[in-house]
Amino acid sequence: MTFDHASVRTTLKPWGRRDLGPWASNGRQDSPVGEISFEYDEPEGRERLLLLKLLFTREKLSIQVHPDDTAAKSMGMASGKSEAWYVLAADEGAQVAVGLKRPLTQVEFRKAAIDGSIDELLDWQDAAVGDIFYVPAGTVHAVGAGLVIAEIQQRNDTTFRIWDHGRSRELHIDQALAVARLEPASSRKMSRHITVERAELVACPFFTLERLDLCADTRWELTAGRESWAMIAAGSGTIGSLTARIGDGFFAEADRADIRVGRDGMSLLFATAASAPAADLLRELPAKDRLKPDLADIDSHRERHDVIPFPLSGAAL
């Protein structure tokens, strides 16, 4: 299977934003968009393990929790939902909440969920560009306003909403109590350099998330040994025969691709369904093999996916 552009679908959310630039080709929307999800469909309809998203927040999201694998399977689902966040853009004072300030009893939790004081019991943390947060399934969490976040998660969108800041959407307090860890969480992660170009952001039992920072006018070979998702976070170039610009998503499985980096360099977020980084993921090609991409040609023949609103069914953020 070759590296290919991922398609995108958008989900309208009351807490979303109308300005999606530069992450979408159609940067201004008529209705608030909360999520862009990257998808890749094949004729045989294989079920993917991971889901890569972009979140756009103008207001606080609901306070929520996701089931772990054990709880999810008891409900007839294939997996739980652990996730990780990488902050792409942040307004001054933007925050996320991961875990509680202190342990709570179920009685305390239920009361706080009903009257909304649960918001004050969350461990709110400042969020800035480049920050990384890991949110294991069962962790009570929320995303604040003024953020653009890249999220990689297990492919299960089951969300139990605990508090929705006075919005009229359904709450799921009983279900949340059944799966939530009512305690503080260690969420903020520090990147670890594997090589000069590769930084491990998160490695957990379900996925690995890396950032690849490639210098201008270089050429690389990228090898995906299993299900992998990539998104261009900065710069431009080509991946195989495909143009690669900010906001573009890619999918690959058991294949290699030739990356030619443009004059502004390129940063990719790269997620794979493995618990540790692959040793042979990235290889720089010798200088004699490098060919500078023609960026004028890239711009004139760029293939981008327009944003089309997609209503999401069931409980969500």
Side-chain angles (χ1 to χ4, degrees), residues 10-74:
T10 66
T11 305
L12 304 181
K13 295 288 186 178
W15 43 260
R17 293 164 53 165
R18 289 181 170 83
D19 181 6
L20 307 185
W23 311 106
S25 56
N26 185 5
R28 291 291 303 180
Q29 301 295 307
D30 294 332
S31 300
V33 171
E35 301 175 3
I36 289 179
S37 300
F38 295 97
E39 302 285 347
Y40 189 80
D41 296 325
E42 293 183 274
E44 61 267 31
R46 291 180 56 189
E47 187 66 26
R48 305 299 173 198
L49 298 175
L50 303 179
L51 180 59
L52 178 62
K53 292 180 178 179
L54 294 178
L55 306 180
F56 303 87
T57 71
R58 179 178 50 88
E59 302 173 358
K60 282 184 177 180
L61 277 64
S62 62
I63 297 170
Q64 57 192 246
V65 67
H66 309 303
D68 62 14
D69 281 6
T70 301
K73 289 176 181 177
S74 72

Side-chain angles (χ1 to χ4, degrees), residues 84-127:
W85 305 333
Y86 180 84
V87 180
L88 292 165
D91 292 347
E92 185 176 355
Q95 292 187 315
V96 299
V98 185
L100 302 171
K101 290 180 180 177
R102 62 176 178 84
L104 298 178
T105 67
Q106 289 204 347
V107 172
E108 290 175 318
F109 182 84
R110 181 183 292 277
K111 179 179 181 301
I114 292 171
D115 65 21
S117 62
I118 186 67
D119 188 60
E120 301 168 5
L121 297 174
L122 292 180
D123 182 13
W124 286 97
Q125 306 172 53
D126 292 339

Side-chain angles (χ1 to χ4, degrees), residues 123-202:
D123 182 13
W124 286 97
Q125 306 172 53
D126 292 339
V129 174
D131 282 348
I132 311 144
F133 299 90
Y134 176 51
V135 188
T139 304
V140 179
H141 63 277
V143 177
L147 288 162
V148 179
I149 287 177
E151 176 183 285
I152 186 68
Q153 60 164 88
Q154 289 179 275
R155 199 176 185 86
N156 180 347
D157 257 348
T158 299
T159 295
F160 298 133
R161 200 178 296 122
I162 300 164
W163 175 251
D164 203 26
H165 308 288
R167 304 180 187 110
S168 59
R169 298 186 297 174
E170 181 184 3
L171 302 180
H172 313 94
I173 297 174
D174 288 338
Q175 297 95 319
L177 272 169
V179 303
R181 301 171 185 169
L182 305 183
E183 59 191 16
S186 176
S187 61
R188 191 183 293 267
K189 298 296 182 182
M190 298 296 293
S191 62
R192 178 184 72 88
H193 272 281
I194 302 169
T195 66
V196 172
E197 296 80 18
R198 296 177 62 189
E200 176 193 304
L201 305 180
V202 176

